[in-house]
Amino acid sequence: MNDGKPFGAIIVKDDDIVAVGVNEVLETHDPTAHAELLAIRRATEKLQTTD
């Protein structure tokens, strides 16, 4: 088993990496823990915005 990897995602703003995410579906048993969603969650938290 590969723990749901190698899927990953990054959020970039103004040429800076704001957030990263790696697929955690299998290890967390959370069907919403896809790399893209985790990166978005981390970016919006860091930037304090929903945009």
Side-chain angles (χ1 to χ4, degrees), residues 30-47:
D30 178 356
T32 69
H34 289 270
E36 301 86 348
L37 291 176
L38 295 175
I40 291 168
R41 289 175 188 160
R42 292 173 181 144
T44 57
E45 182 178 341
K46 180 176 181 178
L47 298 174

Side-chain angles (χ1 to χ4, degrees), residues 2-46:
N2 65 5
D3 294 329
K5 294 168 178 63
F7 302 104
I10 63 170
I11 305 291
V12 177
K13 181 178 181 183
D14 300 325
D15 294 327
D16 292 321
I17 296 174
V18 175
V20 298
V22 177
N23 188 23
E24 297 178 2
V25 171
L26 297 178
E27 63 193 63
T28 63
H29 308 288
D30 178 356
T32 69
H34 289 270
E36 301 86 348
L37 291 176
L38 295 175
I40 291 168
R41 289 175 188 160
R42 292 173 181 144
T44 57
E45 182 178 341
K46 180 176 181 178

